[in-house]
Amino acid sequence: MSDAPSSQPADAGVPAPQRVLNANFLRLNVAAFLSMLTMSMFNLLPYYLELRGASQGFYGAVAGSMGISNFIVMMAFGHTADRWSRRTSVFLYSLPMVAASALSIAAMTQSLNWYFLVRLLQGVYMGLGFPIMYAWVVELTPPARKHEAVALFGVAGLAANTLGPLIGEMILNAQPDPNHPDAYLPVFWTSLAIMIGSALSLFLVPSVRPPSGDEDERQSILPLLGASWAG
């Protein structure tokens, strides 16, 4: 997988344009929006699990498992954020989200316990892939306007958190029996299609290599947290 255009070396950065709302910013914003749209559609997952007979404690545990996954992957793999180019990193960490949507479809005829794995996989992306997208957008932004870029970038997530459940509910209401578990099948298929679109749209954005530095400057999240606690 090649991240750099043939006209420049693989480790070259992409010059930041002078405007925040440039084509590359909007492309990356679309990728982030689609990924968060996928994630927010799974806000309907507790209702699906309830229709299949799950207790409140069970679907609460399923929802909470994503937070556990967030923490574990950040502690274990936070140092990989600077190992590859931004595009490679985000794409690799998007694949578990694609797998999670696919697994949600396959698990409809299996044990409800498979939905723990669905949320754990989504946690990998939320713990690593999505945060790296913020670093990527900052590196494609004029230095004096980085705070503005981060603020505008967050709008995509806020909009997706509202639209995802709305789209899911509209799909459910279009089914013959919205209160049957099988009505969630097109919801899960839609989430899979949207997440594939998000992963592929990353290749429309110029890749950026993280700044090179000494090994002790490239710390994982765990040592950084330890330093902050000590301070």
Side-chain angles (χ1 to χ4, degrees):
M1 184 188 320
S2 176
D3 291 312
S6 57
S7 59
Q8 61 184 18
D11 59 349
V14 175
Q18 295 307 305
R19 293 182 298 115
V20 173
L21 294 178
N22 57 78
N24 292 329
F25 177 89
L26 294 175
R27 289 168 186 155
L28 192 53
N29 219 22
V30 167
F33 173 79
L34 293 177
S35 68
M36 294 307 294
L37 195 64
T38 300
M39 179 63 66
S40 63
M41 290 181 72
F42 278 85
N43 289 347
L44 302 179
L45 183 59
Y47 304 105
Y48 167 74
L49 296 176
E50 186 177 26
L51 290 175
R52 286 191 58 185
S55 66
Q56 292 183 359
F58 181 86
Y59 60 69
V62 170
S65 62
M66 187 177 74
I68 297 173
S69 177
N70 282 169
F71 182 79
I72 292 175
V73 299
M74 283 192 294
M75 296 302 101
F77 303 107
H79 62 283
T80 63
D82 291 334
R83 179 169 298 176
W84 305 296
S85 71
R86 299 306 186 206
R87 181 195 293 156
T88 298
S89 295
V90 177
F91 179 76
L92 289 177
Y93 293 132
S94 295
L95 296 181
M97 275 280 285
V98 175
S101 291
L103 182 59
S104 69
I105 297 169
M108 292 187 72
T109 57
Q110 305 298 323
S111 167
L112 291 180
N113 290 326
W114 282 104
Y115 287 96
F116 279 105
L117 181 56
V118 169
R119 296 301 270 179
L120 289 170
L121 287 170
Q122 290 175 339
V124 174
Y125 173 75
M126 292 305 297
L128 295 173
F130 191 67
I132 295 174
M133 292 185 82
Y134 274 87
W136 192 358
V137 78
V138 163
E139 289 159 350
L140 291 174
T141 302
R145 308 190 69 178
K146 295 185 185 299
H147 292 87
E148 181 183 351
V150 170
L152 290 173
F153 197 66
V155 173
L158 293 174
N161 287 336
T162 301
L163 289 175
L166 175 62
I167 292 173
E169 290 286 0
M170 292 175 63
I171 295 172
L172 285 177
N173 289 332
Q175 306 309 307
D177 183 4
N179 295 316
H180 194 281
D182 288 347
Y184 283 76
L185 179 60
V187 176
F188 294 148
W189 271 112
T190 302
S191 76
L192 176 60
I194 292 174
M195 192 58 213
I196 291 175
S198 173
L200 293 179
S201 65
L202 296 173
F203 291 91
L204 300 176
V205 187
S207 190
V208 175
R209 281 279 181 186
S212 58
D214 296 334
E215 283 301 315
D216 25 338
E217 292 178 358
R218 301 171 124 201
Q219 301 182 66
S220 67
I221 294 176
L222 187 57
L224 292 176
L225 288 177
S228 64
W229 290 333

